[in-house]
Amino acid sequence: MKKIITSSAILLSVFALSQVAIGKASISTLSDNVTPNPSISLEFGTGNRGILLPWVTSAAAVNGAVNGTLIYDTTDKKVKVKLASGWKDLSVDTTGAVDTTLQNSLTELTNAKVQIGGNPTTDTTPGILVLAATNKAMILPKTTYNTIINPAAGMMVYDTTAKQLAVFNGTVWSFWKP
């Protein structure tokens, strides 16, 4: 019952406030799940965890992707971002590995979508998690990449020691400085 109440509170905060914090403070009250910065639509707390991107069999198979879409391509074993010119590889290293048995028996819900910001009743942007605000950003989980005990292929974090984006392709971490 507590999980249902907590989940309901998080969903209500998504639609009511269009700002969400995950893994920050306590989730005992609705206000603890809201980021205090009005320029942030989704923020992750600190700790040895990352955000896991959706796995796809190939970037070419992703229909209707908009610029800024992030995926983990299980064929190339790379984290990729959609740009106007095509898909850009963020992994750099080509030796990635992924055990897709975690999702092989699952059925995809093709109409599943969570939207933060904007108007979910009229917004047709494709995606599983759509950050639709035009004046807010997402803050990645902040940690030191090597403290994550068992990273999964397609994981992204902001490395607080090196002050750079770190992406895991299933074998090695790749890094991007701003």
Side-chain angles (χ1 to χ4, degrees):
M1 184 66 173
K2 184 176 180 181
K3 287 182 182 180
I4 292 172
I5 292 171
T6 301
S7 298
S8 298
I10 290 171
L11 286 174
L12 284 173
S13 69
V14 169
F15 296 116
L17 303 169
S18 296
Q19 291 179 276
V20 178
I22 297 173
K24 294 188 65 133
S26 152
I27 57 173
S28 61
T29 66
L30 184 61
S31 63
D32 288 337
N33 292 318
V34 177
T35 180
N37 186 329
S39 296
I40 299 171
S41 60
L42 178 61
E43 181 177 16
F44 296 88
T46 57
N48 59 349
R49 296 184 176 126
I51 182 173
L52 188 58
L53 300 174
W55 293 353
V56 300
T57 54
S58 79
V62 179
N63 295 319
V66 297
N67 291 339
T69 299
L70 293 163
I71 59 165
Y72 178 77
D73 185 327
T74 61
T75 300
D76 291 349
K77 297 174 179 60
K78 295 182 175 194
V79 172
K80 297 179 179 180
V81 61
K82 176 72 167 99
L83 302 175
S85 59
W87 290 95
K88 179 171 178 55
D89 171 17
L90 294 180
S91 296
V92 180
D93 187 275
T94 60
T95 62
V98 62
D99 178 4
T100 61
T101 58
L102 295 170
Q103 68 179 16
N104 288 346
S105 63
L106 302 176
T107 303
E108 180 180 4
L109 300 173
T110 56
N111 61 346
K113 178 178 176 179
V114 172
Q115 182 172 326
I116 300 174
N119 185 343
T121 59
T122 59
D123 190 303
T124 59
T125 306
I128 296 169
L129 173 62
V130 177
L131 306 178
T134 58
N135 61 349
K136 293 178 175 48
M138 176 180 74
I139 306 296
L140 289 172
K142 297 178 220 163
T143 188
T144 304
Y145 80 94
N146 60 4
T147 62
I148 299 174
I149 297 168
N150 190 15
M155 184 172 281
M156 292 178 67
V157 299
Y158 178 77
D159 186 300
T160 55
T161 302
K163 298 189 180 356
Q164 60 192 4
L165 171 69
V167 296
F168 189 68
N169 75 353
T171 302
V172 298
W173 289 92
S174 297
F175 307 94
W176 294 86
K177 278 207 176 263

mmCIF file of all heavy atoms in Angstrom, residues 9-22 24 29-44 114-118 129-139:
data_model
loop_
_atom_site.group_PDB
_atom_site.id
_atom_site.type_symbol
_atom_site.label_atom_id
_atom_site.label_comp_id
_atom_site.label_asym_id
_atom_site.label_seq_id
_atom_site.Cartn_x
_atom_site.Cartn_y
_atom_site.Cartn_z
ATOM 1 N N ALA A 9 1.849 9.710 -5.439
ATOM 2 C CA ALA A 9 2.350 11.041 -5.091
ATOM 3 C C ALA A 9 3.360 11.527 -6.130
ATOM 4 O O ALA A 9 3.347 12.688 -6.536
ATOM 5 C CB ALA A 9 2.982 11.028 -3.703
ATOM 6 N N ILE A 10 4.231 10.624 -6.589
ATOM 7 C CA ILE A 10 5.216 10.997 -7.599
ATOM 8 C C ILE A 10 4.519 11.372 -8.898
ATOM 9 O O ILE A 10 4.833 12.388 -9.519
ATOM 10 C CB ILE A 10 6.233 9.859 -7.823
ATOM 11 C CG1 ILE A 10 7.131 9.723 -6.585
ATOM 12 C CG2 ILE A 10 7.077 10.108 -9.073
ATOM 13 C CD1 ILE A 10 8.026 8.506 -6.594
ATOM 14 N N LEU A 11 3.552 10.562 -9.331
ATOM 15 C CA LEU A 11 2.835 10.868 -10.570
ATOM 16 C C LEU A 11 2.079 12.188 -10.475
ATOM 17 O O LEU A 11 2.061 12.969 -11.413
ATOM 18 C CB LEU A 11 1.884 9.733 -10.938
ATOM 19 C CG LEU A 11 2.552 8.488 -11.493
ATOM 20 C CD1 LEU A 11 1.538 7.375 -11.699
ATOM 21 C CD2 LEU A 11 3.265 8.791 -12.786
ATOM 22 N N LEU A 12 1.462 12.430 -9.328
ATOM 23 C CA LEU A 12 0.762 13.696 -9.151
ATOM 24 C C LEU A 12 1.722 14.871 -9.229
ATOM 25 O O LEU A 12 1.403 15.904 -9.817
ATOM 26 C CB LEU A 12 0.009 13.719 -7.815
ATOM 27 C CG LEU A 12 -1.283 12.912 -7.780
ATOM 28 C CD1 LEU A 12 -1.826 12.876 -6.357
ATOM 29 C CD2 LEU A 12 -2.306 13.480 -8.731
ATOM 30 N N SER A 13 2.908 14.694 -8.650
ATOM 31 C CA SER A 13 3.871 15.791 -8.697
ATOM 32 C C SER A 13 4.342 16.035 -10.119
ATOM 33 O O SER A 13 4.623 17.162 -10.502
ATOM 34 C CB SER A 13 5.060 15.518 -7.775
ATOM 35 O OG SER A 13 5.857 14.462 -8.273
ATOM 36 N N VAL A 14 4.439 14.990 -10.934
ATOM 37 C CA VAL A 14 4.844 15.140 -12.324
ATOM 38 C C VAL A 14 3.853 16.020 -13.065
ATOM 39 O O VAL A 14 4.211 16.944 -13.771
ATOM 40 C CB VAL A 14 4.970 13.761 -13.015
ATOM 41 C CG1 VAL A 14 5.115 13.931 -14.523
ATOM 42 C CG2 VAL A 14 6.141 12.991 -12.454
ATOM 43 N N PHE A 15 2.563 15.724 -12.913
ATOM 44 C CA PHE A 15 1.554 16.464 -13.655
ATOM 45 C C PHE A 15 1.237 17.822 -13.026
ATOM 46 O O PHE A 15 0.978 18.777 -13.728
ATOM 47 C CB PHE A 15 0.276 15.636 -13.781
ATOM 48 C CG PHE A 15 0.504 14.390 -14.585
ATOM 49 C CD1 PHE A 15 0.364 13.145 -14.022
ATOM 50 C CD2 PHE A 15 0.889 14.476 -15.913
ATOM 51 C CE1 PHE A 15 0.586 12.004 -14.773
ATOM 52 C CE2 PHE A 15 1.113 13.344 -16.669
ATOM 53 C CZ PHE A 15 0.961 12.098 -16.091
ATOM 54 N N ALA A 16 1.278 17.905 -11.719
ATOM 55 C CA ALA A 16 0.900 19.151 -11.061
ATOM 56 C C ALA A 16 2.009 20.197 -11.121
ATOM 57 O O ALA A 16 1.748 21.374 -11.321
ATOM 58 C CB ALA A 16 0.537 18.883 -9.608
ATOM 59 N N LEU A 17 3.257 19.777 -10.942
ATOM 60 C CA LEU A 17 4.336 20.733 -10.828
ATOM 61 C C LEU A 17 5.316 20.720 -11.994
ATOM 62 O O LEU A 17 6.087 21.638 -12.161
ATOM 63 C CB LEU A 17 5.096 20.483 -9.518
ATOM 64 C CG LEU A 17 4.215 20.558 -8.269
ATOM 65 C CD1 LEU A 17 4.973 20.045 -7.067
ATOM 66 C CD2 LEU A 17 3.737 21.972 -8.044
ATOM 67 N N SER A 18 5.322 19.663 -12.784
ATOM 68 C CA SER A 18 6.223 19.513 -13.921
ATOM 69 C C SER A 18 7.683 19.627 -13.527
ATOM 70 O O SER A 18 8.505 20.058 -14.314
ATOM 71 C CB SER A 18 5.884 20.523 -15.010
ATOM 72 O OG SER A 18 4.610 20.286 -15.513
ATOM 73 N N GLN A 19 8.002 19.304 -12.309
ATOM 74 C CA GLN A 19 9.371 19.233 -11.826
ATOM 75 C C GLN A 19 9.457 18.032 -10.902
ATOM 76 O O GLN A 19 8.635 17.878 -10.002
ATOM 77 C CB GLN A 19 9.765 20.478 -11.042
ATOM 78 C CG GLN A 19 9.882 21.718 -11.890
ATOM 79 C CD GLN A 19 10.238 22.897 -11.027
ATOM 80 O OE1 GLN A 19 9.365 23.500 -10.439
ATOM 81 N NE2 GLN A 19 11.509 23.218 -10.960
ATOM 82 N N VAL A 20 10.458 17.155 -11.131
ATOM 83 C CA VAL A 20 10.569 15.930 -10.350
ATOM 84 C C VAL A 20 12.014 15.724 -9.928
ATOM 85 O O VAL A 20 12.929 15.940 -10.713
ATOM 86 C CB VAL A 20 10.093 14.708 -11.177
ATOM 87 C CG1 VAL A 20 10.259 13.426 -10.384
ATOM 88 C CG2 VAL A 20 8.659 14.888 -11.624
ATOM 89 N N ALA A 21 12.204 15.276 -8.699
ATOM 90 C CA ALA A 21 13.517 14.878 -8.213
ATOM 91 C C ALA A 21 13.432 13.408 -7.830
ATOM 92 O O ALA A 21 12.487 12.986 -7.179
ATOM 93 C CB ALA A 21 13.923 15.727 -7.012
ATOM 94 N N ILE A 22 14.414 12.632 -8.255
ATOM 95 C CA ILE A 22 14.453 11.204 -7.960
ATOM 96 C C ILE A 22 15.706 10.931 -7.147
ATOM 97 O O ILE A 22 16.801 11.326 -7.538
ATOM 98 C CB ILE A 22 14.453 10.371 -9.259
ATOM 99 C CG1 ILE A 22 13.162 10.617 -10.032
ATOM 100 C CG2 ILE A 22 14.646 8.889 -8.953
ATOM 101 C CD1 ILE A 22 13.135 9.978 -11.398
ATOM 102 N N LYS A 24 16.405 12.009 -4.116
ATOM 103 C CA LYS A 24 16.816 13.143 -3.298
ATOM 104 C C LYS A 24 15.984 13.179 -2.033
ATOM 105 O O LYS A 24 14.780 13.009 -2.098
ATOM 106 C CB LYS A 24 16.630 14.450 -4.062
ATOM 107 C CG LYS A 24 17.544 14.564 -5.259
ATOM 108 C CD LYS A 24 17.468 15.921 -5.868
ATOM 109 C CE LYS A 24 17.994 16.900 -4.901
ATOM 110 N NZ LYS A 24 18.897 17.883 -5.253
ATOM 111 N N THR A 29 7.062 13.148 1.917
ATOM 112 C CA THR A 29 6.077 14.159 1.547
ATOM 113 C C THR A 29 6.236 14.510 0.085
ATOM 114 O O THR A 29 7.301 14.325 -0.496
ATOM 115 C CB THR A 29 6.249 15.461 2.376
ATOM 116 O OG1 THR A 29 7.500 16.047 2.019
ATOM 117 C CG2 THR A 29 6.166 15.201 3.855
ATOM 118 N N LEU A 30 5.208 14.989 -0.502
ATOM 119 C CA LEU A 30 5.217 15.344 -1.919
ATOM 120 C C LEU A 30 6.289 16.380 -2.220
ATOM 121 O O LEU A 30 6.974 16.299 -3.212
ATOM 122 C CB LEU A 30 3.830 15.852 -2.322
ATOM 123 C CG LEU A 30 3.613 16.180 -3.785
ATOM 124 C CD1 LEU A 30 3.814 14.947 -4.645
ATOM 125 C CD2 LEU A 30 2.213 16.721 -4.003
ATOM 126 N N SER A 31 6.483 17.336 -1.335
ATOM 127 C CA SER A 31 7.429 18.417 -1.608
ATOM 128 C C SER A 31 8.869 17.925 -1.647
ATOM 129 O O SER A 31 9.714 18.553 -2.265
ATOM 130 C CB SER A 31 7.283 19.526 -0.576
ATOM 131 O OG SER A 31 7.596 19.037 0.707
ATOM 132 N N ASP A 32 9.185 16.783 -1.015
ATOM 133 C CA ASP A 32 10.541 16.258 -1.053
ATOM 134 C C ASP A 32 10.917 15.739 -2.446
ATOM 135 O O ASP A 32 12.077 15.581 -2.755
ATOM 136 C CB ASP A 32 10.712 15.108 -0.053
ATOM 137 C CG ASP A 32 10.716 15.590 1.389
ATOM 138 O OD1 ASP A 32 11.028 16.775 1.608
ATOM 139 O OD2 ASP A 32 10.393 14.796 2.274
ATOM 140 N N ASN A 33 9.928 15.458 -3.284
ATOM 141 C CA ASN A 33 10.194 14.923 -4.615
ATOM 142 C C ASN A 33 10.249 16.002 -5.678
ATOM 143 O O ASN A 33 10.321 15.704 -6.852
ATOM 144 C CB ASN A 33 9.114 13.907 -5.000
ATOM 145 C CG ASN A 33 9.202 12.681 -4.144
ATOM 146 O OD1 ASN A 33 10.281 12.192 -3.881
ATOM 147 N ND2 ASN A 33 8.071 12.202 -3.690
ATOM 148 N N VAL A 34 10.198 17.239 -5.283
ATOM 149 C CA VAL A 34 10.210 18.337 -6.238
ATOM 150 C C VAL A 34 11.546 19.048 -6.128
ATOM 151 O O VAL A 34 12.000 19.380 -5.050
ATOM 152 C CB VAL A 34 9.051 19.319 -5.954
ATOM 153 C CG1 VAL A 34 9.110 20.487 -6.907
ATOM 154 C CG2 VAL A 34 7.729 18.591 -6.049
ATOM 155 N N THR A 35 12.171 19.269 -7.261
ATOM 156 C CA THR A 35 13.438 19.984 -7.263
ATOM 157 C C THR A 35 13.186 21.465 -6.957
ATOM 158 O O THR A 35 12.221 22.033 -7.460
ATOM 159 C CB THR A 35 14.172 19.793 -8.604
ATOM 160 O OG1 THR A 35 15.388 20.515 -8.548
ATOM 161 C CG2 THR A 35 13.351 20.259 -9.775
ATOM 162 N N PRO A 36 14.017 22.096 -6.133
ATOM 163 C CA PRO A 36 13.782 23.495 -5.781
ATOM 164 C C PRO A 36 14.149 24.481 -6.884
ATOM 165 O O PRO A 36 13.749 25.623 -6.849
ATOM 166 C CB PRO A 36 14.682 23.697 -4.559
ATOM 167 C CG PRO A 36 15.766 22.698 -4.724
ATOM 168 C CD PRO A 36 15.142 21.517 -5.424
ATOM 169 N N ASN A 37 14.922 24.057 -7.867
ATOM 170 C CA ASN A 37 15.362 24.949 -8.932
ATOM 171 C C ASN A 37 14.317 24.970 -10.049
ATOM 172 O O ASN A 37 14.037 23.946 -10.653
ATOM 173 C CB ASN A 37 16.703 24.465 -9.473
ATOM 174 C CG ASN A 37 17.304 25.411 -10.480
ATOM 175 O OD1 ASN A 37 16.602 26.102 -11.205
ATOM 176 N ND2 ASN A 37 18.621 25.432 -10.533
ATOM 177 N N PRO A 38 13.733 26.126 -10.366
ATOM 178 C CA PRO A 38 12.688 26.194 -11.383
ATOM 179 C C PRO A 38 13.187 25.916 -12.807
ATOM 180 O O PRO A 38 12.398 25.735 -13.710
ATOM 181 C CB PRO A 38 12.158 27.624 -11.265
ATOM 182 C CG PRO A 38 13.267 28.388 -10.648
ATOM 183 C CD PRO A 38 14.001 27.424 -9.763
ATOM 184 N N SER A 39 14.509 25.840 -13.003
ATOM 185 C CA SER A 39 15.053 25.550 -14.326
ATOM 186 C C SER A 39 15.272 24.061 -14.575
ATOM 187 O O SER A 39 15.789 23.663 -15.604
ATOM 188 C CB SER A 39 16.389 26.275 -14.519
ATOM 189 O OG SER A 39 16.176 27.665 -14.495
ATOM 190 N N ILE A 40 14.882 23.233 -13.611
ATOM 191 C CA ILE A 40 15.088 21.786 -13.726
ATOM 192 C C ILE A 40 13.744 21.089 -13.814
ATOM 193 O O ILE A 40 12.867 21.304 -12.992
ATOM 194 C CB ILE A 40 15.869 21.248 -12.508
ATOM 195 C CG1 ILE A 40 17.242 21.905 -12.427
ATOM 196 C CG2 ILE A 40 15.999 19.737 -12.576
ATOM 197 C CD1 ILE A 40 17.991 21.602 -11.150
ATOM 198 N N SER A 41 13.582 20.230 -14.842
ATOM 199 C CA SER A 41 12.347 19.450 -14.936
ATOM 200 C C SER A 41 12.526 18.073 -14.316
ATOM 201 O O SER A 41 11.590 17.528 -13.743
ATOM 202 C CB SER A 41 11.874 19.326 -16.389
ATOM 203 O OG SER A 41 12.845 18.688 -17.162
ATOM 204 N N LEU A 42 13.726 17.478 -14.394
ATOM 205 C CA LEU A 42 13.994 16.167 -13.808
ATOM 206 C C LEU A 42 15.401 16.166 -13.250
ATOM 207 O O LEU A 42 16.352 16.489 -13.960
ATOM 208 C CB LEU A 42 13.847 15.064 -14.870
ATOM 209 C CG LEU A 42 14.138 13.641 -14.430
ATOM 210 C CD1 LEU A 42 13.184 13.204 -13.314
ATOM 211 C CD2 LEU A 42 14.018 12.691 -15.616
ATOM 212 N N GLU A 43 15.531 15.814 -11.974
ATOM 213 C CA GLU A 43 16.835 15.820 -11.319
ATOM 214 C C GLU A 43 17.001 14.534 -10.534
ATOM 215 O O GLU A 43 16.076 14.067 -9.877
ATOM 216 C CB GLU A 43 16.959 17.018 -10.384
ATOM 217 C CG GLU A 43 18.300 17.100 -9.688
ATOM 218 C CD GLU A 43 18.433 18.338 -8.812
ATOM 219 O OE1 GLU A 43 17.402 18.977 -8.507
ATOM 220 O OE2 GLU A 43 19.545 18.662 -8.428
ATOM 221 N N PHE A 44 18.195 13.959 -10.605
ATOM 222 C CA PHE A 44 18.520 12.746 -9.869
ATOM 223 C C PHE A 44 19.437 13.104 -8.719
ATOM 224 O O PHE A 44 20.270 13.993 -8.829
ATOM 225 C CB PHE A 44 19.223 11.735 -10.781
ATOM 226 C CG PHE A 44 18.346 11.254 -11.896
ATOM 227 C CD1 PHE A 44 18.289 11.937 -13.089
ATOM 228 C CD2 PHE A 44 17.569 10.132 -11.733
ATOM 229 C CE1 PHE A 44 17.476 11.504 -14.123
ATOM 230 C CE2 PHE A 44 16.749 9.682 -12.755
ATOM 231 C CZ PHE A 44 16.698 10.369 -13.945
ATOM 232 N N VAL A 114 5.614 8.765 -20.402
ATOM 233 C CA VAL A 114 5.513 9.671 -19.262
ATOM 234 C C VAL A 114 6.066 11.000 -19.745
ATOM 235 O O VAL A 114 7.120 11.051 -20.364
ATOM 236 C CB VAL A 114 6.329 9.167 -18.048
ATOM 237 C CG1 VAL A 114 6.375 10.217 -16.957
ATOM 238 C CG2 VAL A 114 5.761 7.870 -17.522
ATOM 239 N N GLN A 115 5.336 12.051 -19.474
ATOM 240 C CA GLN A 115 5.769 13.371 -19.909
ATOM 241 C C GLN A 115 5.868 14.292 -18.708
ATOM 242 O O GLN A 115 4.974 14.331 -17.874
ATOM 243 C CB GLN A 115 4.777 13.945 -20.916
ATOM 244 C CG GLN A 115 5.201 15.301 -21.431
ATOM 245 C CD GLN A 115 4.325 15.777 -22.563
ATOM 246 O OE1 GLN A 115 3.861 14.986 -23.351
ATOM 247 N NE2 GLN A 115 4.117 17.072 -22.637
ATOM 248 N N ILE A 116 6.969 15.021 -18.642
ATOM 249 C CA ILE A 116 7.162 16.030 -17.609
ATOM 250 C C ILE A 116 7.191 17.373 -18.314
ATOM 251 O O ILE A 116 8.004 17.596 -19.206
ATOM 252 C CB ILE A 116 8.462 15.791 -16.816
ATOM 253 C CG1 ILE A 116 8.415 14.425 -16.134
ATOM 254 C CG2 ILE A 116 8.695 16.903 -15.806
ATOM 255 C CD1 ILE A 116 9.696 14.031 -15.442
ATOM 256 N N GLY A 117 6.301 18.254 -17.928
ATOM 257 C CA GLY A 117 6.200 19.562 -18.565
ATOM 258 C C GLY A 117 5.334 19.500 -19.810
ATOM 259 O O GLY A 117 4.923 18.433 -20.256
ATOM 260 N N GLY A 118 5.034 20.646 -20.361
ATOM 261 C CA GLY A 118 4.205 20.704 -21.553
ATOM 262 C C GLY A 118 2.780 20.257 -21.264
ATOM 263 O O GLY A 118 2.339 20.199 -20.121
ATOM 264 N N LEU A 129 10.030 8.546 -21.951
ATOM 265 C CA LEU A 129 10.092 9.637 -20.983
ATOM 266 C C LEU A 129 10.370 10.908 -21.775
ATOM 267 O O LEU A 129 11.437 11.055 -22.369
ATOM 268 C CB LEU A 129 11.197 9.413 -19.948
ATOM 269 C CG LEU A 129 11.473 10.568 -18.991
ATOM 270 C CD1 LEU A 129 10.249 10.879 -18.142
ATOM 271 C CD2 LEU A 129 12.664 10.252 -18.103
ATOM 272 N N VAL A 130 9.411 11.796 -21.817
ATOM 273 C CA VAL A 130 9.542 13.024 -22.599
ATOM 274 C C VAL A 130 9.591 14.208 -21.640
ATOM 275 O O VAL A 130 8.670 14.407 -20.847
ATOM 276 C CB VAL A 130 8.362 13.186 -23.583
ATOM 277 C CG1 VAL A 130 8.470 14.505 -24.332
ATOM 278 C CG2 VAL A 130 8.309 12.011 -24.548
ATOM 279 N N LEU A 131 10.685 14.942 -21.694
ATOM 280 C CA LEU A 131 10.815 16.171 -20.919
ATOM 281 C C LEU A 131 10.430 17.291 -21.872
ATOM 282 O O LEU A 131 11.219 17.703 -22.710
ATOM 283 C CB LEU A 131 12.235 16.345 -20.388
ATOM 284 C CG LEU A 131 12.781 15.159 -19.585
ATOM 285 C CD1 LEU A 131 14.208 15.417 -19.147
ATOM 286 C CD2 LEU A 131 11.895 14.860 -18.396
ATOM 287 N N ALA A 132 9.182 17.758 -21.757
ATOM 288 C CA ALA A 132 8.612 18.649 -22.768
ATOM 289 C C ALA A 132 8.762 20.131 -22.466
ATOM 290 O O ALA A 132 8.447 20.958 -23.308
ATOM 291 C CB ALA A 132 7.134 18.316 -22.957
ATOM 292 N N ALA A 133 9.239 20.491 -21.301
ATOM 293 C CA ALA A 133 9.387 21.909 -20.975
ATOM 294 C C ALA A 133 10.422 22.542 -21.898
ATOM 295 O O ALA A 133 11.451 21.943 -22.201
ATOM 296 C CB ALA A 133 9.808 22.072 -19.524
ATOM 297 N N THR A 134 10.164 23.745 -22.338
ATOM 298 C CA THR A 134 11.096 24.439 -23.231
ATOM 299 C C THR A 134 12.083 25.314 -22.461
ATOM 300 O O THR A 134 13.002 25.865 -23.055
ATOM 301 C CB THR A 134 10.325 25.319 -24.223
ATOM 302 O OG1 THR A 134 9.523 26.246 -23.492
ATOM 303 C CG2 THR A 134 9.450 24.475 -25.135
ATOM 304 N N ASN A 135 11.903 25.431 -21.144
ATOM 305 C CA ASN A 135 12.794 26.289 -20.365
ATOM 306 C C ASN A 135 13.359 25.581 -19.133
ATOM 307 O O ASN A 135 13.730 26.223 -18.165
ATOM 308 C CB ASN A 135 12.055 27.559 -19.934
ATOM 309 C CG ASN A 135 10.852 27.243 -19.059
ATOM 310 O OD1 ASN A 135 10.435 26.092 -18.934
ATOM 311 N ND2 ASN A 135 10.298 28.266 -18.443
ATOM 312 N N LYS A 136 13.411 24.230 -19.183
ATOM 313 C CA LYS A 136 13.942 23.451 -18.065
ATOM 314 C C LYS A 136 14.842 22.352 -18.617
ATOM 315 O O LYS A 136 14.749 21.975 -19.770
ATOM 316 C CB LYS A 136 12.805 22.829 -17.262
ATOM 317 C CG LYS A 136 11.955 23.843 -16.525
ATOM 318 C CD LYS A 136 10.820 23.143 -15.796
ATOM 319 C CE LYS A 136 9.992 24.039 -14.945
ATOM 320 N NZ LYS A 136 9.530 25.263 -15.519
ATOM 321 N N ALA A 137 15.701 21.806 -17.768
ATOM 322 C CA ALA A 137 16.650 20.777 -18.192
ATOM 323 C C ALA A 137 16.591 19.573 -17.269
ATOM 324 O O ALA A 137 16.004 19.619 -16.190
ATOM 325 C CB ALA A 137 18.058 21.356 -18.186
ATOM 326 N N MET A 138 17.224 18.482 -17.696
ATOM 327 C CA MET A 138 17.371 17.287 -16.864
ATOM 328 C C MET A 138 18.785 17.276 -16.302
ATOM 329 O O MET A 138 19.749 17.536 -17.018
ATOM 330 C CB MET A 138 17.161 16.020 -17.698
ATOM 331 C CG MET A 138 17.413 14.746 -16.886
ATOM 332 S SD MET A 138 17.186 13.219 -17.805
ATOM 333 C CE MET A 138 18.633 13.192 -18.831
ATOM 334 N N ILE A 139 18.914 16.968 -15.035
ATOM 335 C CA ILE A 139 20.209 16.814 -14.387
ATOM 336 C C ILE A 139 20.446 15.322 -14.195
ATOM 337 O O ILE A 139 19.652 14.645 -13.546
ATOM 338 C CB ILE A 139 20.245 17.525 -13.015
ATOM 339 C CG1 ILE A 139 19.834 18.989 -13.138
ATOM 340 C CG2 ILE A 139 21.610 17.369 -12.358
ATOM 341 C CD1 ILE A 139 20.755 19.836 -13.960
#
